[in-house]
Amino acid sequence: MNKLTDLTIARALSGLKSKEFSATELTKAYISSAEASRELNIYVEETFDVALQRATLSDKKLKSGDAGSLEGIPVAVKDLFCTRGIHSAACSKVLNGFKPPYESAVTEKLWDSGAILLGKANMDEFAMGSSNTTSYYGSVTNPWSPKGAVKKLVPGGSSGGSAAAVSARAALAATGTDTGGSIRQPASFCGVVGLKPTYGRCSRWGIIAFASSLDQAGPITRTVEDAALMLNVMAGYDPKDSTSVNKPVPNYALNLNQGVKGLRVGIPGEYQMDGMSPEIKQLWDKGIEWFKNGGAEVKDISLPHTKYALPTYYIVAPAEASSNLARYDGVRFGLRKSGDDLQDMYSKSRAEGFGEEVKRRVLIGTYVLSAGYYDAYYLQAQRVRTRIAEDFKQAFSNVDVILTPTAPSAAFEVGANMDDPISMYLNDIFTVPASLAGLPGISVPAGLSSEGLPLGLQIIGEPFNEHNVLISGQFIETAANFDSLPQYICGG
Ligand code: GLN
């Protein structure tokens, strides 16, 4: 048998069921692995004692035959999810020390199904970022490094800790959230699978809000099947979230290997950007070939408003963020600095509590929502957002899924792009359009860059058709046969 930390969820579940190993043994293996990888700064809060207690309970349940569907599976949870009595700070100083008295709906479902919390995963502050370098608790280091060089790379963001945890074997799976790419882009950078479900598929209740019309929870795993197993538990209607959609949750893990024969796969010309890196283009071409060889009908499509997606996102997301983050005023949550009067207390608490990127977004958001600019920026961005959604709707009258690269590059060095927010924002160029349209998307590792770093391909699907996204993702996984491991694990 492989090391316990090499198993997928599917394999671990069968091993637990057949008593090959216990939930306690599996949890202990992950705790050792998480301890050994502390230098990567993946966890901002470790809950190993609670995990071991929970594993004992899982072992009892496995014995008595009332195990849940993820019984005994040790997971990391992005610090954006509120966890009852356990530090939850969105990796911001303003929330440092906050222990919510409630549990997010998605994590509640995970615990009900028997999953075990190993700890809270590092992330960009309030999920704003593409490199996990804006966290109050410091950057995360990607477990991958370039061939023959010792360089610290970013894991992507904002769910960088979650993706690094799964890649470095510091968790069997993790939760992430994706507002403009924060599940898919770090998954691509860390060589793991990241699934952003349709907006409304998973409850946002208890997830610290960034941009409410975009935020969506989803799994980060090592395989597509594992993503389906996690989504089976995470998805579902929640009356506490008014944007959650009341649709039955199918079994996403069924028929994943059905292949892509006859599937209509769209290739959007507009994603072929000027100056696109040749290796990203080659990877995309390789993906197209795989689908053709698999019997899919590959078609060129047009999504004409693609070039407006990034500027639109960087108006809508900061606008919503500036409003959502108004609640951190030093009165009810987290950090409070004393001031001469109430206004001064607010200003000092916020000035001290928020990092630079968060302040930038609050400023942009407040500006685009202010009287006189609202129509020119915010309202206009909302109109363009509708056009972008219509582009996809039109495209989906001819195709079933859309294939694109996930990110314009492989992981970059810690510190790169830091003094140029625009170049940092360009990381999201391929992920943001689907977010604006609320569509499901997956990133699956598909190859290595010339430097030996993982690169992902993205599949975008129709609303609530996660099935097509997953079968296409499974098809890429099988075709790519991506079995490289991060240097951090294999020492290569
Ligand atoms: N990188 C994007 C941003 O900074 C997306 C973040 C996210 O999806 N949470 O806003």
Side-chain angles (χ1 to χ4, degrees), residues 127-130 158 178-182 210 313-314 361 428:
M128 298 173 191
S130 308
S158 63
D178 194 311
T179 302
S182 279
F210 163 13
Y313 172 83
Y314 277 100
R361 308 269 180 126
D428 309 319

Side-chain angles (χ1 to χ4, degrees), residues 38-269:
R38 274 193 184 129
E39 65 186 285
L40 300 178
N41 202 21
I42 288 172
Y43 286 103
V44 291
E45 181 80 8
E46 296 172 342
T47 57
F48 300 158
D49 292 343
V50 188
L52 286 171
Q53 282 167 21
R54 188 61 185 73
T56 310
L57 182 66
S58 287
D59 281 326
K60 279 196 191 125
K61 290 195 169 201
L62 284 156
K63 208 166 168 190
S64 63
D66 52 343
S69 60
L70 290 177
E71 197 69 58
I73 300 300
V75 301
V77 165
K78 186 179 186 179
D79 201 34
L80 204 62
F81 291 78
C82 285
T83 41
R84 194 181 293 110
I86 294 168
H87 198 259
S88 308
C91 285
S92 177
K93 184 173 180 185
V94 90
L95 276 174
N96 190 32
F98 179 56
K99 291 189 180 172
Y102 44 82
E103 187 76 35
S104 86
V106 162
T107 47
E108 188 94 65
K109 281 169 179 280
L110 285 169
W111 316 144
D112 286 349
S113 78
I116 296 174
L117 175 68
L118 287 166
K120 302 300 285 289
N122 207 338
M123 53 178 280
D124 280 300
E125 184 182 1
F126 282 108
M128 298 173 191
S130 308
S131 56
N132 213 133
T133 47
T134 70
S135 165
Y136 174 57
Y137 306 105
S139 309
V140 175
T141 305
N142 193 322
W144 292 79
S145 29
K147 245 184 342 216
V150 193
K151 273 190 196 164
K152 275 194 178 184
L153 301 182
V154 302
S158 63
S159 315
S162 300
V166 176
S167 168
R169 280 37 181 169
L172 178 38
T175 67
T177 61
D178 194 311
T179 302
S182 279
I183 289 176
R184 292 160 287 163
Q185 184 256 16
S188 178
F189 277 21
C190 291
V192 292
V193 174
L195 171 65
K196 178 198 108 70
T198 311
Y199 181 77
R201 184 67 292 194
C202 297
S203 171
R204 288 184 298 111
W205 195 84
I207 298 176
I208 296 168
F210 163 13
S212 309
S213 76
L214 295 154
D215 298 344
Q216 182 60 205
I220 297 184
T221 53
R222 277 182 229 134
T223 63
V224 173
E225 182 183 22
D226 284 3
L229 292 169
M230 286 284 283
L231 185 63
N232 278 347
V233 172
M234 294 168 71
Y237 174 61
D238 178 6
K240 293 204 289 299
D241 170 4
S242 59
T243 58
S244 142
V245 175
N246 194 352
K247 268 186 184 287
V249 178
N251 182 350
Y252 293 110
L254 279 184
N255 303 324
L256 286 179
N257 271 310
Q258 75 183 62
V260 295
K261 205 169 169 37
L263 194 78
R264 297 167 305 163
V265 180
I267 309 297

Side-chain angles (χ1 to χ4, degrees), residues 375-395:
D375 288 6
Y377 292 104
Y378 184 70
L379 214 58
Q380 187 67 3
Q382 293 290 32
R383 290 196 189 103
V384 180
R385 183 178 185 176
T386 305
R387 292 276 178 278
I388 291 168
E390 283 167 2
D391 282 357
F392 278 109
K393 203 166 175 199
Q394 172 65 32

